[in-house]
Amino acid sequence: MEHKKGEIVTLPPYDIKARVVEVQTADCRGCYYHDNNICCWDHDDTHGDCNAKYRKDHKYIIFKPLTDEEI
């Protein structure tokens, strides 16, 4: 599964709303999964691909949680 940059997604397992944000390198800081110790770096259809190696656009992305104002 590949989410598009800018897309708002609902993340398992806690139904957290997040925006798909492009990052320049494989730096996971700011990603919901990394910051909550449930990183999905490997190819994972449950969470969606974030590694450029597995994405069609060859871009790294993170899942940045929305703020209360953005929800």
Side-chain angles (χ1 to χ4, degrees):
M1 172 183 2
E2 182 172 308
H3 297 292
K4 295 180 181 175
K5 295 179 290 181
E7 182 179 358
I8 305 274
V9 295
T10 303
L11 304 175
Y14 305 113
D15 293 334
I16 301 297
K17 298 274 187 204
R19 183 178 311 279
V20 178
V21 177
E22 181 180 346
V23 291
Q24 297 303 309
T25 62
D27 182 356
C28 300
R29 288 178 290 183
C31 180
Y32 170 75
Y33 291 117
H34 179 265
D35 293 350
N36 288 285
N37 297 315
I38 49 177
C39 186
C40 59
W41 182 249
D42 293 325
H43 184 60
D44 185 345
D45 281 339
T46 302
H47 299 102
D49 293 323
C50 56
N51 186 333
K53 177 179 177 180
Y54 299 113
R55 292 179 53 84
K56 292 176 188 171
D57 62 6
H58 304 290
K59 304 288 183 182
Y60 291 104
I61 59 101
I62 63 170
F63 297 98
K64 186 173 180 176
L66 298 181
T67 64
D68 289 339
E69 293 80 29
E70 294 177 295
I71 294 178

